[in-house]
């Protein structure tokens, strides 16, 4: 059989290539976005703690408390969606990334919901002076209230019981109490001792204004029931309970340091060696804060002697990572190592995501690693062949760069939490950081080693000399012009943008990372862009304030409202002045934008004297420290009963007045007491048979 040769039609190679491309047999080059993601490689693991933290933030931002069923179902559904994306999109980039993101978000949300529900309930605290008995957990040194007084002391009391008829036979509290002892009390109880004393107690206070610092949430997660002060001397009421040797060593170090060094020098040394920061007075804190040296008040001794608590372990672990990375120059101690540390911390305690120390330390170390990674080659070229002058120049450049990178990374976070801007932090750290590294801390560690032999005094005195130099430096820099500039409060969404922008700037590889500067700038600008309250009303209606462009006008107040007034001043970064005389005497009309508000900041008649029709004419809001009793018909009001139900109030001016209460801001959460709720009753122990 004759076979015909196979004939191949003549085709132009260009036409053949076009036909092949029509069937997608030749892969097209990836887009710029896909190429940028692929370039990240193993660096993508660094985004896992970011996603876990966002899940925790989402839980805290909810205006209601999700039920257990909804938490379990929502976490399971989100995790199932993530697993499905991983299963069906394993060979595809974006479904895979979406799966990891959903799993991480579910982990952060569910973990924090579980942590919140595992906390013991808030107990009912006596509203009058009472005798209580409990076990001393720790003893702290506090700064004196006045210049002519001795140092104060505060104890943390555990397993407390109240000697009242209502609480007879009660079970010991599952939460702790912070109590300031009397300044004239000669008995300083040791940790582990059982004591009795007469004291006044108060539960954690609500926020001073809607959106302010939430001390009730902090107490809920920290295990604190409340605080107070002793009215009488302390008496030992039982045998001492053995405490950990670390706690005993911590107290011993603090007191032996105070016996050698004077005043604030001893307080700073005790903070560095034993974590006893309570003895540092406000003036010293402000000096270290204004000079940018507040970060020096932590160290390895602090981590050990405070029992290796989670925040101190986090700070030491991050600082150790970056220090080893800089000294050894090894890339194994990289951003991935830092992300693993952050991920473990968030999985153990997800509420740490809103902790200022976590945010500050994570931002600082992340900025250092990213900055040194980008500038490694210029620093190596500066060092050259190792000539002494090049070594000195490279050391100076590294020191300046360390201060600059860490300071710039933490500056927006510091502005958000402390309401202050410190422009001279680089100058202060250039001298203070080397002094602390080569003098203060090494000599302090020698003092710790010598304490068992009672030979610590020479080392403590030498350490004190270095501390006094840093103190003088802090005070001198704090006295510079514009050393401590107050800034208004940053809204929560602004801080979130700052942290996300900083993460993108430091974690993303390539020039596109510079896009992270945009959310950082927007977050910092939110300090001035976000609307500010025009009127404040405290949680007991005992203090009112009206914002003017350059001053905060406040009504009559006592020392009990001092903390509230300080919070308002920090929120607006304004000085205070008294309200007009007619407001202090009784009723007064205040213009807020185009609206008129009737104020009654002080009322001896308890609301018996009602406003006249002339006083109510054209009024958009009536605010009274006493019951309003519908004094102005058909006019919204805020009075004593309003704040009793809903906490502090803030009023915003615009086309109409916007009234926001603390309860509407925080919502119905576990740490927000319901209306009229004072805590879980202290039930008696079960009777034994």
């Amino acid at each position: 059989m004759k076979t015909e040769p196979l004939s191949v039609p003549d085709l132009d190679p260009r036409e053949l290539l076009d036909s092949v491309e029509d069937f997608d047999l030749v892969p097209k080059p990836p887009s710029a976005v896909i190429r940028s993601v692929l370039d990240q490689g193993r660096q993508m693991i660094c985004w896992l703690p970011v996603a876990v933290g966002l899940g925790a933030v989402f839980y805290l931002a909810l205006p209601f408390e999700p039920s257990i069923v909804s938490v379990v179902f929502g976490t399971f559904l989100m995790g199932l969606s993530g697993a499905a994306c991983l299963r069906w999109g394993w060979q595809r980039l974006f479904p895979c990334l979406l799966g990891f993101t959903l799993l991480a978000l579910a982990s952060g949300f569910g973990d924090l919901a579980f942590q919140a529900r595992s906390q013991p309930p808030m107990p009912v605290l006596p509203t009058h002076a009472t005798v209580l008995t409990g076990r001393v957990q720790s003893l702290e040194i506090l700064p004196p209230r006045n210049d002519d007084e001795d140092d104060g002391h505060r104890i943390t009391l555990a397993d407390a019981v109240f000697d009242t008829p209502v609480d007879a036979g009660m079970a010991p509290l599952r939460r702790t109490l912070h109590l300031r002892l009397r300044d004239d009390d000669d008995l300083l109880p040791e940790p582990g001792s059982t004591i009795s004393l007469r004291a006044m107690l108060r539960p954690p206070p609500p926020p001073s204004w809607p959106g302010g610092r939430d001390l009730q949430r902090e107490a809920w997660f920290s295990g604190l029931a409340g605080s107070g002060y002793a009215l009488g001397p302390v008496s030992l009421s039982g045998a001492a309970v053995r405490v950990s040797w670390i706690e005993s060593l911590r107290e011993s170090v603090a007191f032996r340091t105070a016996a050698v060094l004077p005043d604030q020098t001893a307080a700073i040394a005790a903070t560095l060696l034993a974590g006893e920061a309570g003895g540092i007075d406000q003036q010293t804190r402000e000096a270290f804060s204004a000079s940018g040296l507040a970060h020096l008040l932590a160290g390895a001794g602090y981590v050990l002697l405070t029992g290796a608590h989670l925040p101190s372990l986090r700070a030491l672990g991050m600082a150790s990572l970056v220090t080893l990375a800089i000294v050894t120059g090894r890339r194994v101690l990289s951003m991935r190592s830092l992300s693993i540390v952050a991920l473990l911390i968030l999985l153990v305690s997800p509420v740490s995501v809103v902790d200022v120390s976590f945010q500050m330390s994570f931002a600082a170390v992340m900025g250092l690693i990213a900055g040194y990674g980008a500038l490694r080659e210029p620093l190596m070229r500066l060092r050259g062949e190792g000539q002494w002058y090049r070594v000195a120049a490279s050391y100076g450049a590294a020191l300046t760069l360390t201060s600059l990178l860490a300071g710039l990374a933490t500056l927006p976070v510091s502005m958000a939490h402390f309401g202050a801007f410190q422009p001279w932090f680089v100058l202060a750290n250039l001298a203070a950081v080397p002094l602390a590294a080569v003098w203060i801390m090494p000599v302090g560690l020698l003092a710790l080693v010598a304490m068992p032999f009672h030979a610590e005094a020479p080392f403590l005195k030498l350490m004190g000399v270095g501390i006094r130099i840093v103190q003088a430096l802090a005070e001198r820099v704090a006295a510079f012009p514009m050393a401590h500039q107050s800034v208004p409060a940053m809204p929560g969404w602004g801080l979130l943008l700052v942290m996300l922008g900083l993460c993108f700037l430091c974690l993303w590889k390539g020039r596109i990372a510079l896009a992270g500067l945009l959310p950082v700038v927007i977050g910092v600008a939110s300090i001035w862009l976000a609307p500010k309250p025009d009127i404040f009303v405290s949680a007991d209606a005992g203090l009112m304030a009206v914002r003017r462009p350059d001053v905060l006008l406040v009504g009559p107040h006592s020392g009990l409202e001092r903390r509230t007034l300080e919070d308002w001043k920090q929120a607006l970064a304004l000085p205070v002045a008294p309200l007009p005389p007619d407001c202090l005497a009784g009723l007064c009309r205040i213009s807020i934008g185009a609206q008129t508000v009737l104020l009654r900041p002080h009322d001896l008649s308890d609301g018996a004297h009602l406003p006249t029709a002339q006083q109510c004419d054209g009024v958009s809001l009536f605010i009274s420290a006493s019951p309003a009793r519908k004094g102005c018909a058909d006019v919204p009001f805020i009075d004593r009963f309003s704040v009793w139900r809903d906490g502090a109030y803030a009023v915003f001016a615009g086309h109409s007045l916007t009234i926001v209460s603390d309860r509407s801001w925080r919502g119905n959460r576990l740490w927000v007491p319901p209306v009229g709720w004072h805590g879980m009753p202290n039930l008696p122990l079960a009777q034994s048979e």
Side-chain angles (χ1 to χ4, degrees):
M1 181 177 178
K2 187 177 180 181
T3 304
E4 297 290 337
L6 182 63
S7 61
V8 179
D10 296 334
L11 290 176
D12 187 351
R14 289 174 296 181
E15 295 179 0
L16 181 62
L17 182 61
D18 293 339
S19 64
V20 172
E21 288 181 350
D22 290 340
F23 289 96
D24 290 336
L25 296 180
V26 176
K28 297 180 180 179
S31 65
V33 176
I34 297 178
R35 187 165 55 250
S36 178
V37 174
L38 292 175
D39 289 342
Q40 304 305 308
R42 296 181 180 180
Q43 190 84 349
M44 292 300 295
I45 195 177
C46 300
W47 289 93
L48 279 179
V50 178
V52 172
L54 284 176
V57 169
F58 178 69
Y59 168 79
L60 294 176
L62 290 176
F64 59 90
E65 187 62 37
S67 63
I68 297 180
V69 176
S70 61
V71 169
V72 174
F73 179 75
T75 304
F76 174 77
L77 184 62
M78 191 177 296
L80 185 63
S81 301
C85 291
L86 288 176
R87 171 64 179 83
W88 292 317
W90 185 254
Q91 301 298 329
R92 297 183 179 181
L93 178 63
F94 287 106
C96 183
L97 294 179
L98 179 61
F100 277 114
T101 302
L102 291 176
L103 286 175
L105 290 172
S107 300
F109 182 90
D111 195 8
L112 185 51
F114 174 78
Q115 184 185 10
R117 290 187 173 274
S118 63
Q119 303 300 319
M122 281 289 178
V124 174
L125 299 182
T127 58
H128 55 277
T130 184
V131 176
L132 63 154
T133 303
R135 174 176 54 85
V136 178
Q137 195 173 76
S138 64
L139 175 66
E140 300 177 65
I141 303 176
L142 300 178
R145 296 171 179 171
N146 300 314
D147 294 336
D148 56 348
E149 294 182 354
D150 296 331
D151 293 339
H153 298 85
R154 185 179 71 177
I155 60 172
T156 299
L157 204 64
D159 302 328
V161 294
F162 307 134
D163 186 11
T164 64
V166 176
D167 301 308
M170 63 173 284
L173 293 185
R174 298 168 61 190
R175 290 177 169 268
T176 59
L177 295 168
H178 287 167
L179 297 173
R180 177 164 184 143
L181 304 181
R182 290 175 58 93
D183 294 336
D184 57 356
D185 197 343
D186 296 330
L187 177 60
L188 298 179
E190 297 181 355
S193 59
T194 303
I195 64 169
S196 295
L197 74 163
R198 189 168 178 264
M200 283 291 297
L201 301 175
R202 57 181 178 272
S208 301
W209 56 285
R213 182 181 178 184
D214 195 344
L215 294 176
Q216 289 181 332
R217 186 182 67 190
E218 294 178 12
W220 179 264
F221 286 99
S222 66
L224 183 67
S227 58
Y229 55 92
L231 298 174
V234 174
S235 61
L236 298 177
S237 61
V241 179
R242 184 178 180 181
V243 296
S244 65
W245 67 271
I246 292 180
E247 187 65 37
S248 300
L249 179 61
R250 175 174 175 260
E251 303 298 332
S252 176
V253 168
F255 280 98
R256 292 173 71 170
T257 301
V260 176
L261 299 177
D263 302 332
Q264 289 303 294
T265 303
I268 296 174
T271 301
L272 295 173
L273 298 179
E276 286 280 6
I280 301 178
D281 59 24
Q282 188 65 25
Q283 182 179 357
T284 303
R285 290 179 186 273
E286 291 178 355
F288 272 72
S289 175
S291 59
L293 298 178
H295 63 91
L296 294 180
L297 304 180
Y302 167 76
V303 175
L304 174 64
L305 296 176
T306 53
H309 293 161
L310 188 63
S312 54
L313 279 175
R314 179 211 59 248
L316 182 65
M318 292 180 176
S320 301
L321 280 173
V322 70
T323 302
L324 289 175
I326 295 173
V327 172
T328 63
R330 298 185 61 185
R331 298 185 61 84
V332 66
L333 297 172
S334 61
M335 199 72 76
R336 294 192 298 274
S337 302
L338 177 64
S339 65
I340 293 174
V341 173
L343 180 62
L344 292 176
I345 291 170
L346 289 176
L347 291 178
V348 173
S349 179
V351 76
S352 300
V353 70
V354 294
D355 183 43
V356 57
S357 59
F358 176 85
Q359 295 174 4
M360 294 277 284
S361 58
F362 186 78
V365 180
M366 187 169 56
L368 286 172
I369 294 178
Y372 272 100
L375 300 174
R376 183 185 302 273
E377 292 184 4
L379 289 176
M380 294 299 294
R381 288 197 300 267
L382 178 62
R383 188 179 182 89
E385 299 297 330
Q387 297 91 338
W388 68 269
Y389 58 89
R390 284 183 171 270
V391 172
S394 62
Y395 176 77
L399 187 60
T400 305
L401 188 62
T402 299
S403 178
L404 187 62
L405 289 173
L408 289 178
T410 57
L411 187 59
V413 185
S414 176
M415 294 170 64
H417 288 281
F418 306 117
F421 171 66
Q422 305 96 11
W424 303 108
F425 63 90
V426 176
L427 182 61
N429 280 275
L430 285 177
V433 170
L435 193 63
V438 303
W439 182 351
I440 296 176
M441 288 310 299
V443 176
L445 293 177
L446 290 177
L448 289 176
V449 175
M451 279 187 181
F453 309 100
H454 299 277
E456 72 278 1
F459 299 104
L460 287 176
K461 291 180 180 179
L462 185 59
M463 181 185 183
V465 174
I467 292 177
R468 282 192 288 272
I469 295 176
V470 174
Q471 284 180 270
L473 176 65
E475 294 171 358
R476 182 65 59 87
V477 174
F480 284 1
M482 302 178 61
H484 186 88
Q485 293 295 308
S486 298
V487 296
M490 181 184 293
W493 61 266
L495 180 58
L496 180 61
L497 283 180
V498 167
M499 295 304 297
L500 289 178
L502 187 63
C503 288
F504 191 81
L505 185 64
C506 296
L507 299 182
W508 202 263
K509 293 163 57 176
R511 292 186 177 181
I512 196 176
L514 296 176
L517 290 174
L518 180 60
V520 172
V521 172
I522 297 176
V524 173
S526 68
I527 293 177
W528 296 275
L529 297 178
K532 298 294 185 294
D534 292 278
I535 297 179
F536 285 115
V537 182
S538 66
D540 60 355
L543 181 62
M544 301 177 190
V546 178
R547 180 175 67 91
R548 292 306 188 209
D550 55 351
V551 70
L552 183 65
L553 304 177
V554 300
H557 58 279
S558 63
L560 298 177
E561 286 92 13
R562 183 176 62 252
R563 185 188 67 85
T564 299
L565 183 57
E566 290 297 325
D567 289 345
W568 292 354
K569 289 169 56 179
Q570 179 176 331
L572 299 178
L574 290 176
V576 299
L579 283 168
D582 53 342
C583 291
L584 303 180
L587 287 165
C588 66
R589 294 164 62 94
I590 295 291
S591 297
I592 304 296
Q595 311 294 323
T596 301
V597 178
L598 185 63
L599 285 183
R600 186 163 62 184
H602 184 62
D603 183 19
L604 296 178
S605 69
D606 198 31
H609 296 161
L610 300 180
T612 64
Q614 183 179 4
Q615 291 172 325
C616 293
D617 184 34
V619 167
S620 302
L621 178 65
F622 178 32
I623 304 178
S624 175
S626 57
R629 306 185 191 279
K630 297 183 180 180
C632 293
D634 301 327
V635 173
F637 62 87
I638 302 173
D639 65 353
R640 183 195 303 167
F641 294 114
S642 302
V643 297
W644 176 78
R645 290 190 303 267
D646 300 323
Y649 273 79
V651 181
F652 299 83
H655 297 293
S656 61
L657 295 181
T658 302
I659 304 173
V660 180
S661 69
D662 173 63
R663 186 171 298 277
S664 66
W665 183 274
R666 293 194 291 168
N668 181 24
R669 307 309 305 268
L670 292 173
W671 49 88
V672 180
V675 177
W677 176 256
H678 299 288
M680 181 67 67
N682 303 314
L683 301 177
L685 292 170
Q687 298 294 325
S688 59
E689 297 181 358

